[in-house]
Amino acid sequence: MFRGRSTHSLDAKGRLSIPARFRDVLKAKYDGRLIVTNLPGCLAAYPYEEWRVLEEQFSRYRLARPEVLAFQRYFLAAAVECPLDGQGRILIPPALRDEAGFQKEVVLSGMLTYFEIWSRERLEAELSKARENFDQYSSVVANIGGFPEG
């Protein structure tokens, strides 16, 4: 599983060094390939096998509602395979870097079966919002069976 957060710098070409603990997961559990796509405010990096599960689920939508099509255009259509190079880096395409607001410093945040890539500034704002609304968010998570209330 992908766990924890770490801060990294993009190089001048837009390459990002993937932390060793994430590379270890990619090699031990998956085939090492990553698919990177848009999420609101950040990017999501999925091991290829996890991404294929999502593709299979979405391939069942033949005549999708407009909201589903809009989601697919933003999330699925932006997906790019970003292979690890020999030094454990991925090249993030310019369009994805622009969409996520990347400058130089980014934060990788483990989300169990995938990880997010945030600009440091955007993640700080998101975490501040989560801190302020933690009770409300935890209640929502408990109501959908995420963890027991207590």
Side-chain angles (χ1 to χ4, degrees):
M1 297 289 189
F2 298 103
R3 295 180 185 97
R5 274 190 225 119
S6 56
T7 302
H8 300 270
S9 294
L10 295 175
D11 71 11
K13 295 180 181 179
R15 291 178 297 199
L16 171 64
S17 182
I18 302 301
R21 70 182 184 282
F22 286 7
R23 288 194 317 262
D24 291 345
V25 172
L26 286 168
K27 291 176 184 172
K29 187 172 178 182
Y30 303 106
D31 71 3
R33 292 184 288 170
L34 278 175
I35 305 293
V36 179
T37 192
N38 293 325
L39 278 181
C42 69
L43 299 179
Y46 287 86
Y48 179 75
E49 295 85 348
E50 298 289 349
W51 182 255
R52 288 291 301 141
V53 171
L54 290 172
E55 285 180 333
E56 288 297 321
Q57 290 171 343
F58 277 100
S59 71
R60 295 185 193 118
Y61 292 104
R62 298 288 179 228
L63 298 172
R65 294 173 42 179
E67 299 88 350
V68 174
L69 289 172
F71 179 88
Q72 289 176 314
R73 284 184 200 108
Y74 185 76
F75 182 72
L76 296 176
V80 176
E81 186 169 345
C82 297
L84 287 161
D85 67 13
Q87 296 176 327
R89 301 172 302 187
I90 61 170
L91 175 63
I92 301 174
L96 289 175
R97 292 194 312 259
D98 290 345
E99 178 68 25
F102 292 170
Q103 299 300 316
K104 180 126 175 103
E105 199 171 43
V106 298
V107 180
L108 279 67
S109 185
M111 301 294 287
L112 303 181
T113 59
Y114 72 100
F115 59 92
E116 295 175 340
I117 309 168
W118 288 85
S119 75
R120 187 181 53 76
E121 296 81 13
R122 284 188 180 181
L123 180 59
E124 287 174 0
E126 190 68 21
L127 293 175
S128 177
K129 187 171 108 179
R131 237 183 332 274
E132 293 168 8
N133 296 292
F134 190 79
D135 289 341
Q136 175 190 350
Y137 294 172
S138 61
S139 177
V140 170
V141 171
N143 287 333
I144 59 173
F147 57 81
E149 289 190 78

